[in-house]
Amino acid sequence: MQDSDIRNGTVIITKWMPYYSAFLHAGIIVIEDGEIYVYDNDPDNPINKYGGSIKKTLLKDYLRERKILEFYQTDLNIEHIKKRADEIRNKPFSWLFFNCETLVRYVTGEEIRREYFHPYEKMVLALGFTAFAWSAFYTDSKK
């Protein structure tokens, strides 16, 4: 990611470093007063003063423990991003109901677009496909 690639509304997909993690992470960039920040929602974020887990972190600090896997642009302006993040700033993290993808989806109004699949995701997809194919074959063979 080059500085020229960074603008308000850039969605970044990262993974934690240096250790291997089963999870990818997503955040959305805003630029304020010449500084680049990332809004994210993470179970490790401290509870903010509103009781929620959304955090705004300088990009350079955010990337100390993460590696960017991919990013994409949206057409969102900073006012929209801040307004939408403020609307849900009091919500605490939940793996099922309010995670990093939920935050990005709420702010952008769309599902996260990804090209990269984590090795665990590939394994789960392969096992799911295998189970589906096996159950279809097994069901058909019982008829």
Side-chain angles (χ1 to χ4, degrees):
M1 176 183 266
Q2 305 294 321
D3 284 349
S4 61
D5 296 326
I6 300 171
R7 65 179 191 232
N8 286 311
T10 300
V11 174
I12 61 173
I13 310 297
T14 58
K15 73 174 188 171
W16 280 271
M17 299 295 289
Y19 57 89
Y20 192 76
S21 172
F23 302 101
L24 300 180
H25 192 61
I28 189 162
I29 289 179
V30 294
I31 303 170
E32 295 181 272
D33 301 322
E35 296 283 357
I36 304 168
Y37 294 91
V38 177
Y39 277 105
D40 81 313
N41 187 28
D42 186 293
D44 294 331
N45 285 353
I47 298 300
N48 63 36
K49 65 183 180 180
Y50 307 103
S53 54
I54 294 175
K55 183 177 176 188
K56 183 173 84 172
T57 308
L58 280 168
L59 179 64
K60 64 183 176 184
D61 295 336
Y62 182 82
L63 293 178
R64 283 192 184 131
E65 297 178 350
R66 295 175 177 92
K67 175 183 174 186
I68 296 175
L69 298 175
E70 59 184 293
F71 63 94
Y72 62 90
Q73 308 298 348
T74 67
D75 293 327
L76 302 176
N77 62 44
I78 191 168
E79 290 80 19
H80 174 86
I81 297 165
K82 289 173 74 172
K83 177 182 178 289
R84 296 293 281 176
D86 281 348
E87 290 171 358
I88 54 175
R89 66 185 175 194
N90 63 335
K91 293 184 73 163
F93 183 89
S94 165
W95 284 104
L96 296 177
F97 304 110
F98 189 62
N99 53 45
C100 63
E101 290 188 27
T102 313
L103 169 66
V104 172
R105 185 181 321 117
Y106 185 81
V107 171
T108 64
E110 61 183 32
E111 295 295 323
I112 290 179
R113 293 177 264 158
R114 294 190 309 161
E115 298 294 325
Y116 179 87
F117 278 94
H118 194 282
Y120 286 157
E121 291 173 315
K122 289 179 185 176
M123 183 177 68
V124 167
L125 288 171
L127 289 172
F129 178 75
T130 302
F132 174 76
W134 183 83
S135 68
F137 173 76
Y138 183 76
T139 303
D140 284 345
S141 66
K142 292 284 187 181
K143 292 181 180 179

